Amino acid sequence: MAKIAFFGLGNMGGPMAVNLLAAGHQLSVYDPFVKSLDKFTNDRVAVDKDKITVAETPASAVEDAEYIVSMLPTGKHVVDLYVGNEQTPGIIQHINKSALIIDSSTIDVDSVKSVHAYAQQHGIEMLDAPVSGGVSAAQAGTLTFMCGASQENFERAKTVLSGMGKNVFLAGDTGAGQIAKMCNNMLLAVHMAGTAESLKLGINNGLDPAVLSQIMLQSSGSNWSLEKYNPAPGVMANAPASHDFKPGFTVELMLKDLGLALQNSVSTKSSVPMGALARNLYASYGSQDDANAKLDFSSIWKMF
Ligand code: NAD
């Protein structure tokens, strides 16, 4: 079993860390946001107190760590953590040369490449391993990991990733995991918006959205948003739609991902008309009311 430093105990990182404990690993955790840290420690310290250290500083979290896992909001958070900024130095200098960094945050490829290059200058290996599946899959330990790494680092990372996910893929070299994730989430935004609009059209014609969902699930309109994350309130008891759109995966995080896809489409001269439409829809919805940005992304339902 491995000694793991874990950074970012939010909606995703919290349950992922819990699964690493359940897999028998020893964890040193750090999160500057008291609410995230408290939720994790309240849930786990009593149960797993011999396996958890709550670190006072990022540097102390990585002492003796064989693996470092980060699950942070944006590329800036990841660069600040490892490389540092004008106010705070990064943690690379404190990491053992034999340790492996696994960043599972969804971030831009340039940030991945800059942290990877900086880590290599210090003799440390790193891979990008963003995830798909959302909070429920993080809780169930059934996430899909998409890795950008050498074959050797990919094999090393599997020891840890298999404790948090069901599917672990090697997409290609450094940054390739983020590209796979970006393509996936652009498609997710498109089918979530399309699912909401179709269900609303049915309701406006007097259909019950639960019945319409059952029909479409057995028909050619079937998709993940309809099956696992239905945006119509009341259709699926544990979907965010049935809990006032409490996240889950926030509108602002989806907007971040769509922004990454559109930026990349410019640099690769790719045509992404559906992704652009989905981004504009989410941007318009997110700016209608500040509160919308903090709701689950399935709340795009309210636009229709
Ligand atoms: P979140 O905002 O709930 O959690 C992020 C956590 O990181 C917060 O608790 C924050 O305090 C912490 N943090 C920030 N800087 C830190 C630092 N330097 N050290 C330690 N902790 C730090 O976000 P989330 O929903 O858990 O998402 C995390 C990442 O996973 C994002 O990149 C997101 O795009 C991606 N993602 C989210 C989902 C989802 O359904 N929520 C699904 C797939 C991927």
Side-chain angles (χ1 to χ4, degrees):
M1 290 302 114
K3 287 184 180 168
I4 302 171
F6 199 103
F7 290 88
L9 299 164
N11 290 324
M12 294 294 288
M16 288 163 69
V18 167
N19 283 325
L20 288 177
L21 290 168
H25 299 296
Q26 193 85 32
L27 250 57
S28 173
V29 299
Y30 180 80
D31 193 310
F33 186 39
V34 176
K35 212 168 139 196
S36 297
L37 189 62
D38 279 358
K39 182 167 185 331
F40 176 78
T41 51
N42 292 345
D43 284 356
R44 300 313 300 179
V45 167
V47 188
D48 281 310
K49 63 175 180 307
D50 299 336
K51 286 198 259 165
I52 304 176
T53 307
V54 177
E56 296 280 319
T57 62
S60 65
V62 297
E63 261 173 35
D64 300 333
E66 297 162 290
Y67 293 89
I68 294 93
V69 179
S70 42
M71 192 56 176
L72 309 184
T74 68
K76 181 173 183 333
H77 291 92
V78 176
V79 173
D80 285 353
L81 174 67
Y82 292 107
V83 180
N85 56 37
E86 278 161 18
Q87 288 83 41
T88 322
I91 58 170
I92 285 283
Q93 286 85 342
H94 301 277
I95 297 176
N96 286 325
K97 298 265 184 279
S98 58
L100 179 64
I101 299 174
I102 303 173
D103 180 51
S104 283
S105 326
T106 304
I107 63 173
D108 59 290
V109 177
D110 288 346
S111 296
V112 174
K113 289 191 172 164
S114 71
V115 178
H116 180 264
Y118 189 74
Q120 285 217 316
Q121 280 165 23
H122 291 79
I124 297 163
E125 295 294 327
M126 172 194 179
L127 68 149
D128 47 306
V131 305
S132 176
V135 174
S136 57
Q139 287 165 342
T142 57
L143 290 166
T144 295
F145 285 91
M146 318 165 193
C147 302
S150 64
Q151 188 72 43
E152 188 188 343
N153 287 336
F154 175 64
E155 296 303 330
R156 280 173 72 194
K158 273 187 189 168
T159 317
V160 172
L161 300 181
S162 60
M164 302 181 282
K166 194 170 62 169
N167 300 299
V168 183
F169 292 106
L170 180 59
D173 213 339
T174 303
Q178 294 296 349
I179 293 173
K181 170 71 186 173
M182 175 185 82
C183 295
N184 181 75
N185 272 27
M186 186 175 79
L187 179 58
L188 170 63
V190 169
H191 65 62
M192 178 54 83
T195 300
E197 126 184 352
S198 293
L199 288 172
K200 260 297 172 55
L201 180 64
I203 290 172
N204 292 345
N205 282 280
L207 264 65
D208 176 342
V211 173
L212 180 55
S213 294
Q214 284 308 315
I215 294 169
M216 295 200 294
L217 278 172
Q218 301 307 322
S219 307
S220 46
S222 181
N223 67 74
W224 185 92
S225 294
L226 189 67
E227 185 190 351
K228 304 260 204 266
Y229 216 94
N230 200 298
V235 169
M236 198 171 276
N238 49 16
S242 300
H243 301 276
D244 299 323
F245 295 105
K246 184 170 169 271
F249 180 50
T250 59
V251 166
E252 66 187 352
L253 284 179
M254 178 51 97
L255 259 174
K256 176 195 74 169
D257 291 1
L258 288 167
L260 295 177
L262 288 201
Q263 263 170 22
N264 183 276
S265 73
V266 174
S267 60
T268 56
K269 298 190 173 58
S270 307
S271 168
V272 290
M274 303 299 285
L277 190 57
R279 192 202 163 266
N280 282 329
L281 202 58
Y282 272 98
S284 163
Y285 171 64
S287 60
Q288 266 175 9
D289 181 340
D290 284 349
N292 289 351
K294 301 284 177 203
L295 294 179
D296 188 79
F297 82 109
S298 57
S299 66
I300 196 72
W301 170 261
K302 299 204 277 176
M303 280 288 266
F304 302 100

